[in-house]
Amino acid sequence: MPSPVNYTLTGDIGVITIDHPPVNALSLAVRQGIMDSLDAAAGDASRAVLIICEGRTFCAGADISEFGKPPEEPWLPAVVNRIEAFDKPVVAALHGTALGGGFEIALGAHYRCALASAKIGLPEVRLGLLPGAGGTQRTPRLAGVGAALDLMTSGVPVDAHRALAAGLIDRVFDADLADAAMAWIAELVDEDAGPRRASELPIAAHDGGIFDQYRARLAKKARGQVAPQAIVDCVEQAAMTEFADGEAFERETFMKLMAGDQSAALRHFFFAEREAAKVEGLAMGAQTRPIESVGIIGGGTMGGGIAMSFANAGFAVTLVEISDEALDRGLSIVDRNYTGSVKRGKLSEDAAAANRARIAGSTDYANLADVDLVIEAVFEDPGLKKEIFARLDGTCKPGAILATNTSYQDVDAIAAVTGRPQDVIGLHFFSPAHIMKLLEVVRGEKTADDVLATCMQLAKRLRKVPVVSGVCYGFIGNRMLRPYGKQVQLLLLEGASPGQIDAAMEGFGMAMGPLRVFDLAGLDVGYKARQALPDEMKGDPATYRVPELLVEAGRLGQKSGAGFYRYDDDGKPIPDPAVDEIIERTAQEFGIERREIGDDEIVECLLRALVDEGRKIVAEGIAQRESDIDVVYVYGYGFPAWRGGPMHYGAAAGL
Ligand code: 3HC
Ligand code: NAI
């Protein structure tokens, strides 16, 4: 096997080129190749060394697929230290995404330059880890304690200009990175600029209380997670001790995190997300259809958000509503959302205006005649949806993709009312659709491969994470929510309170407890959906009697000020004895004896419900693989990524 690292002497500059597609991850062969190149540079006439990468990016980090296996020398920290200790100046030239161990290689170099389009980051925290090749020690020495903590505890990369301003890099070039870097190195050589080692820099003065402030903030923001706290510990060590001691502490802490459940879960999730994009039986590079213009039918909660999603990604959108009044209502919500994004600093005023300008409203289906894709997002009424699809069949151009955002309905039955079922697919967005990353792509029995491939690719353009689902009631996510919701109701009847169940699940790491979720979604939604079901699909009445009684008492959830909780003016949930009374009465009605239930039992019971249904979903071929279900639950249902998703957790916990 040829080495992925090549060394050449160009004039008096030694050039180390890493070429290890797709992302130049620092696998064993790369680490060894860098060491060998440094050996060569040490013994030749080079006066300085350049480290640069081929392909789409500088190194995107350590090779994650090697994690959890026995480590093989040379280790990354040793490689970085060797670079830093080198007695000729070493320059790293960054492009693409210089991440994690990749950026740590650059931190070991004595000088750093980057293309203006490059992104620089230490995202290890997202894998439940910390920068383990000196990053926690060198970053604060270059950028200060606060900037280093922000970079490492958020894991969010910064662009080259911000990195320059923070002191993380020294030069930004607009184009021709290799040439610009070589010219800069020639200058450095002329100036006799020697090695400049980050490990030898002092740490700038900082407020001594900063570490505890970050700990407190992260305890809330990254509830339950160990890696962010460990990063704070390492930076504190950097501030308190010599580099070598801080580095040893970093290594020890890194190894502990690597051996822990949270990192195993997050690493599983990293690959799960990428695996989800792959569709069994669909050739890589399968033909796709061009999509530039999109029609959305229905400008309610979902339609408005879907329209924004497309407009924000540069698509021309036509939003069709049933009347001028409904259209005005829908567009004014879109306007309000954009104003909110500007206020929260998520979008500049200009960007918001440009995105908004891509959305045109209409009440005439004829305006959909030329669009490449239509997404129907009207009320969850199968009759209405079929009527609309029949109409689209007569309106849209041949080859247009016709999609439904239905949460539950049979996509095959909807497709069957058209003369082109091969063009019909489900695109199930999650609320708020312009924010939530999950997109369930529902493959109908007759959906054509190129339609599916187009929608998977489209998701990436929308910056969504697509997961393929087969057709069944509720697809993957909402189908699993049903047994989960039923167990919640049984736990209430058996003795747990709404507050206890929510606290137990939030303690486990769920973004929101189930009863608060039901209240937020509106109890009337489930009520109406249930009414449309035949009795055999409704299941045991004990699993829905309480929410039924709540709806009949006008308690529709947060929107009516009361559901499983009462809500104060700020929307804060308050336990309500009236609800306890309804629960107790219902338990009596079904002859259920109430008892003390522990938090652990609540968590186990509810997770079992998810895992059992998840396994059925895979067995029936509705989901392609268990890890897809994890992606659905983390991105669509607030399941903590650091638990890996319900299926990963279920397997690890032996459920
Ligand atoms: N190790 C191994 N494989 C990696 C990898 C890595 N660090 N980064 C990406 N890959 C693989 C992906 O699994 C994918 O493989 P596949 O095609 O077989 O599915 C392929 O590279 C392409 O990745 P993406 O589909 O994610 O490509 P994008 O262009 O969308 O994104 C990226 C590129 C921004 C680099 C993104 O892949 C990414 O964020 N990677 C992870 C970066 C990271 O977390 N680095 C830190 C690693 S931990 C570390 O360095 C520890 C150190 O401190 C000691
Ligand atoms: P909504 O009630 O907020 O909006 C529906 C809109 O459709 C209304 O504005 C209505 O005027 C319009 N409409 C009705 N008939 C129409 C017609 N013939 N032509 C054009 N417009 C018409 O409903 P919501 O919540 O946006 O749901 C829409 C769909 O999305 C449903 O199928 C729902 O199951 C699904 N969904 C809803 C989610 C949610 O959280 N609300 C999440 C994911 C999917």
Side-chain angles (χ1 to χ4, degrees):
M1 283 272 281
S3 169
V5 183
N6 179 37
Y7 178 75
T8 53
L9 185 61
T10 305
D12 55 4
I13 300 173
V15 180
I16 300 178
T17 307
I18 303 171
D19 186 8
H20 186 46
V23 296
N24 292 312
L26 291 153
S27 54
L28 175 64
V30 174
R31 300 196 301 274
Q32 188 57 56
I34 296 173
M35 291 301 233
D36 294 345
S37 300
L38 290 171
D39 285 344
D44 68 15
S46 58
R47 296 184 63 197
V49 173
L50 170 66
I51 303 178
I52 193 162
C53 288
E54 285 290 348
R56 67 199 221 211
T57 181
F58 193 78
C59 305
D63 187 338
I64 303 169
S65 62
E66 285 181 358
F67 289 178
K69 298 179 187 157
E72 284 184 88
E73 290 187 24
W75 290 9
L76 192 56
V79 177
V80 174
N81 285 344
R82 172 95 196 275
I83 293 170
E84 193 184 60
F86 209 64
D87 57 6
K88 302 175 190 184
V90 182
V91 175
L94 318 179
H95 76 288
T97 40
L99 300 177
F103 185 55
E104 288 175 297
I105 289 275
L107 288 172
H110 307 129
Y111 301 90
R112 288 161 288 280
C113 61
L115 266 188
S117 55
K119 293 241 193 293
I120 287 150
L122 292 165
E124 287 87 343
V125 70
R126 294 180 178 180
L127 298 169
L129 296 171
L130 49 79
T136 65
Q137 306 300 300
R138 289 188 178 92
T139 313
R141 285 178 159 82
L142 286 166
V145 163
L149 285 171
D150 287 341
L151 190 71
M152 293 188 280
T153 59
S154 74
V156 178
V158 293
D159 64 33
H161 284 287
R162 272 194 61 195
L164 179 71
L168 290 167
I169 60 173
D170 308 293
R171 289 285 163 101
V172 176
F173 299 123
D174 287 327
D176 304 322
L177 181 65
D179 291 347
M182 290 296 269
W184 182 39
I185 297 175
E187 278 173 36
L188 291 169
V189 168
D190 282 349
E191 289 163 12
D192 228 359
R196 201 190 49 173
R197 300 185 173 96
S199 66
E200 292 170 1
L201 295 173
I203 290 193
H206 53 274
D207 169 6
I210 190 168
F211 300 106
D212 282 340
Q213 285 161 21
Y214 270 84
R215 284 189 182 101
R217 205 181 304 158
L218 291 163
K220 283 197 194 134
K221 213 173 133 197
R223 185 163 44 93
Q225 295 182 52
V226 289
Q229 299 288 346
I231 289 170
V232 180
D233 295 345
C234 287
V235 177
E236 189 174 43
Q237 285 293 315
M240 285 184 342
T241 57
E242 295 296 313
F243 181 84
D245 294 336
E247 197 189 22
F249 182 82
E250 175 195 88
R251 181 100 298 248
E252 191 189 323
T253 315
F254 178 85
M255 296 311 280
K256 264 191 219 150
L257 291 177
M258 177 74 89
D261 294 344
Q262 294 194 6
S263 177
L266 284 161
R267 275 156 22 219
H268 155 80
F269 193 70
F270 176 85
F271 288 114
E273 182 179 338
R274 279 148 186 88
E275 199 61 20
K278 294 166 193 157
V279 185
E280 279 164 17
L282 194 69
M284 286 291 266
Q287 197 98 34
T288 55
R289 300 185 189 181
I291 307 284
E292 293 310 325
S293 56
V294 181
I296 315 276
I297 306 180
T301 309
M302 293 308 290
I306 296 170
M308 287 177 72
S309 251
F310 278 94
N312 296 352
F315 293 84
V317 178
T318 307
L319 185 66
V320 175
E321 256 293 353
I322 196 146
S323 65
D324 288 331
E325 197 196 348
L327 185 60
D328 286 348
R329 196 176 49 229
L331 289 176
S332 66
I333 296 174
V334 168
D335 288 336
R336 236 182 297 144
N337 282 340
Y338 275 122
T339 311
S341 302
V342 172
K343 263 199 201 137
R344 289 195 307 278
K346 299 274 177 208
L347 271 183
S348 72
E349 218 156 295
D350 287 351
N355 294 349
R356 171 64 184 87
R358 291 194 194 98
I359 305 175
S362 172
T363 52
D364 187 355
Y365 277 58
N367 285 326
L368 300 176
D370 289 324
V371 297
D372 303 318
L373 162 70
V374 180
I375 301 175
E376 165 279 309
V378 304
F379 308 128
E380 188 71 350
D381 170 346
L384 176 61
K385 287 184 191 283
K386 285 182 187 159
E387 212 175 279
I388 287 174
F389 271 75
R391 203 159 159 195
L392 289 175
D393 195 21
T395 308
C396 294
K397 67 181 181 189
I401 296 178
L402 309 181
T404 172
N405 180 50
T406 180
S407 305
Y408 290 97
Q409 303 308 319
D410 181 344
V411 174
D412 293 331
I414 293 173
V417 304
T418 73
R420 38 172 135 174
Q422 73 283 358
D423 297 341
V424 177
I425 193 164
L427 289 179
H428 185 216
F429 289 77
F430 287 72
S431 180
H434 59 297
I435 292 173
M436 295 292 282
K437 286 194 77 171
L438 180 64
L439 179 65
E440 277 184 336
V441 178
V442 186
R443 182 183 203 168
E445 200 189 334
K446 299 206 168 126
T447 305
D449 278 0
D450 65 341
V451 169
L452 183 61
T454 304
C455 292
M456 297 303 282
Q457 199 184 61
L458 185 68
K460 217 165 182 189
R461 281 172 76 191
L462 296 175
R463 294 168 161 268
K464 305 272 181 214
V465 178
V467 176
V468 178
S469 171
V471 175
C472 67
Y473 189 74
F475 315 121
I476 297 174
N478 283 343
R479 172 168 160 181
M480 285 168 66
L481 211 49
R482 294 190 76 218
Y484 177 78
K486 286 180 176 182
Q487 288 304 324
V488 169
Q489 296 306 321
L490 294 178
L491 283 167
L492 287 176
L493 298 182
E494 285 179 30
S497 68
Q500 188 197 0
I501 293 176
D502 281 350
M505 294 313 285
E506 285 165 19
F508 172 78
M510 295 298 288
M512 201 185 260
L515 295 147
R516 282 180 62 207
V517 171
F518 298 152
D519 272 1
L520 191 65
L523 301 182
D524 53 327
V525 176
Y527 185 86
K528 278 191 209 131
R530 223 167 9 249
Q531 278 184 327
L533 288 179
D535 277 348
E536 68 274 13
M537 273 186 81
K538 286 186 190 160
D540 178 357
T543 61
Y544 57 82
R545 180 77 86 234
V546 170
E548 198 166 63
L549 292 171
L550 292 175
V551 170
E552 284 162 9
R555 303 181 68 118
L556 308 184
Q558 198 166 348
K559 63 185 164 193
S560 70
F564 281 101
Y565 296 93
R566 216 156 40 76
Y567 289 87
D568 69 10
D569 292 344
D570 298 327
K572 194 169 160 260
I574 299 162
D576 192 342
V579 175
D580 298 338
E581 197 265 322
I582 290 176
I583 293 170
E584 279 160 31
R585 195 155 31 94
T586 308
Q588 265 176 18
E589 181 194 335
F590 288 99
I592 293 172
E593 203 171 311
R594 289 167 63 74
R595 63 188 170 92
E596 287 267 319
I597 298 180
D599 289 358
D600 289 350
E601 184 183 341
I602 291 173
V603 170
E604 186 178 331
C605 166
L606 295 183
L607 282 161
R608 263 181 203 285
L610 288 177
V611 172
D612 285 349
E613 195 66 20
R615 293 207 175 116
K616 282 185 207 152
I617 284 173
V618 175
E620 289 170 26
I622 297 295
Q624 302 187 87
R625 42 186 98 84
E626 288 199 351
S627 60
D628 282 11
I629 294 176
D630 291 335
V631 176
V632 166
Y633 259 73
V634 168
Y635 280 126
Y637 296 84
F639 197 97
W642 53 272
R643 301 267 196 196
M647 306 312 284
H648 173 88
Y649 178 83
L655 291 185

